[in-house]
């Protein structure tokens, strides 16, 4: 426009969602999972001695909104991206004191919760 060239950017950010030039959300998923992991670490560090339900409630209040914000827009279809998001909750639940010997699905049943993937499908 008027002799000014527009710079080609590898990704752009709009409404808090990072979108790559090929319209993939992998970079956004990496970014939000990193933020949520940091919050999970802080929860475990500060409240590791509390019971499992209390810690999981903190996860639901502080980390899960980061993982689910605008999820109908960027809902991943690539297994790698789905696993990256699910790993945040899976790793947090694995570190809860009373649930070391359970599988991930058994831990979720014990906490009366669902995998993040199911929650994203319901949000769509």
């Amino acid at each position: 426009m008027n002799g000014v060239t527009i710079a080609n950017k590898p990704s752009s950010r709009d409404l808090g969602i990072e979108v790559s030039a090929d319209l993939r959300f992998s970079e956004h998923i990496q970014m939000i999972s990193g933020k949520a992991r940091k919050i999970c670490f802080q929860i475990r560090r500060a409240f590791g001695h509390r019971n499992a339900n209390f810690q999981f409630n903190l996860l639901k209040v502080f980390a899960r909104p980061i993982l689910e914000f605008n999820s109908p827009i960027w809902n991943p279809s690539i297994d790698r991206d789905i696993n990256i998001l699910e790993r945040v909750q899976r790793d947090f639940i694995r570190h809860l004191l009373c649930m070391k010997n359970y599988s991930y699905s058994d831990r979720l049943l014990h906490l009366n919760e669902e995998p993040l993937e199911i929650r994203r499908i319901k949000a769509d």
Side-chain angles (χ1 to χ4, degrees):
M1 211 166 175
N2 296 334
V4 177
T5 59
I6 299 174
N8 187 7
K9 294 170 67 175
S11 65
S12 65
R13 185 178 187 98
D14 190 20
L15 297 175
I17 300 174
E18 193 77 27
V19 182
S20 67
D22 59 354
L23 298 178
R24 294 186 188 231
F25 298 100
S26 295
E27 187 176 331
H28 176 71
I29 291 169
Q30 291 285 339
M31 183 182 64
I32 64 170
S33 65
K35 284 182 183 179
R37 280 186 178 282
K38 288 177 186 176
I39 290 172
C40 289
F41 174 75
Q42 291 171 350
I43 292 169
R44 284 196 315 261
R45 188 170 141 198
F47 302 101
H49 60 284
R50 302 287 180 118
N51 70 10
N53 288 326
F54 177 76
Q55 289 183 48
F56 194 73
N57 284 338
L58 291 175
L59 171 84
K60 291 192 293 188
V61 169
F62 294 109
R64 196 183 271 175
I66 293 170
L67 295 171
E68 294 178 345
F69 177 71
N70 278 340
S71 64
I73 296 171
W74 56 262
N75 194 359
S77 59
I78 302 170
D79 285 339
R80 180 178 55 87
D81 291 341
I82 293 169
N83 290 333
I84 288 170
L85 290 169
E86 200 69 43
R87 190 177 311 130
V88 175
Q89 180 170 286
R90 187 181 317 123
D91 289 349
F92 183 82
I93 292 174
R94 183 180 54 214
H95 288 94
L96 296 178
L97 294 176
C98 65
M99 299 186 189
K100 298 250 183 218
N101 298 324
Y102 294 112
S103 68
Y104 177 58
S105 57
D106 291 340
R107 291 176 193 145
L108 288 175
L109 284 173
H110 181 73
L111 292 167
N112 198 21
E113 287 297 327
E114 303 172 317
L116 294 174
E117 182 178 13
I118 301 298
R119 291 179 55 84
R120 282 192 310 274
I121 290 170
K122 287 181 178 180
D124 276 349

